[in-house]
Amino acid sequence: MEFVELGPQHEGHFVDFPCARHRQPWTESSEYAIRHSLGWNLRAGTVKALGVVSDTDLVGLIIWAPEDDDPACWQCIVLAVRSGHQGQGIGRQLKEKLLERAQAQEIRLINSLVHRDNLDMLKLNRALGAAVIPDPDDAAGEHFICTIEVQPKSKKARTRSPSRSIASK
């Protein structure tokens, strides 16, 4: 598998990307966003996306954008894995790659809006250190906000003193 920066030139892979699951309505909105608006948003420059390709198939992707009120924070908009490829750690790898990019660009926080029934995504965010709180703007209580604090790169790399060996005489 290979990680690829996605752009409008990959739109052919988006239009038939299946990720919706039966009785998981939040997956339908993700699939719709990927199929119908990702290409346009990439052309407009409003989002960025990273994909995982296996052979010639796009098997997973993550879409993010800067938060409107704070460009040092990113909103993870969609994290999706192609039907038939779930449960292989692809989603976790994508989220970890996003964290690495955020760290390199000195981003402070990554926020994700997650449906309360999306237990796998809540578990993943918690495993990556997210604080998980109910969305205060969601009167129905259907969503949580997962916030991961991005750890800054250390300013100074630690150096070890060279070890000295004493030769036997």
Side-chain angles (χ1 to χ4, degrees), residues 71-99:
C73 298
W74 285 350
Q75 172 73 35
C76 179
I77 301 165
V78 172
L79 172 57
V81 177
R82 179 181 284 274
S83 298
H85 292 270
Q86 289 97 352
Q88 299 175 23
I90 295 169
R92 182 183 185 99
Q93 290 176 47
L94 283 163
K95 192 83 175 209
E96 288 172 344
K97 288 287 184 190
L98 181 62
L99 288 167

Side-chain angles (χ1 to χ4, degrees), residues 30-42:
S30 294
E31 183 176 279
Y32 185 88
I34 294 164
R35 290 180 169 190
H36 299 284
S37 63
L38 178 55
W40 184 89
N41 282 303
L42 286 167

Side-chain angles (χ1 to χ4, degrees), residues 26-59:
W26 62 89
T27 63
E28 293 170 11
S29 61
S30 294
E31 183 176 279
Y32 185 88
I34 294 164
R35 290 180 169 190
H36 299 284
S37 63
L38 178 55
W40 184 89
N41 282 303
L42 286 167
R43 280 191 299 282
T46 57
V47 301
K48 294 195 180 265
L50 182 67
V52 176
V53 177
S54 178
D55 295 322
T56 59
D57 290 332
L58 180 65
V59 296

Side-chain angles (χ1 to χ4, degrees), residues 2 8-13 15 30 42 44 59 63 85 95 102-103 129 138 144 146-147 152 155 163:
E2 177 184 4
Q9 71 275 19
H10 297 101
E11 194 163 9
H13 293 284
V15 296
S30 294
L42 286 167
V59 296
I63 306 166
H85 292 270
K95 192 83 175 209
Q103 184 182 53
D138 181 4
F144 289 99
C146 301
T147 301
K155 300 284 183 197
S163 58

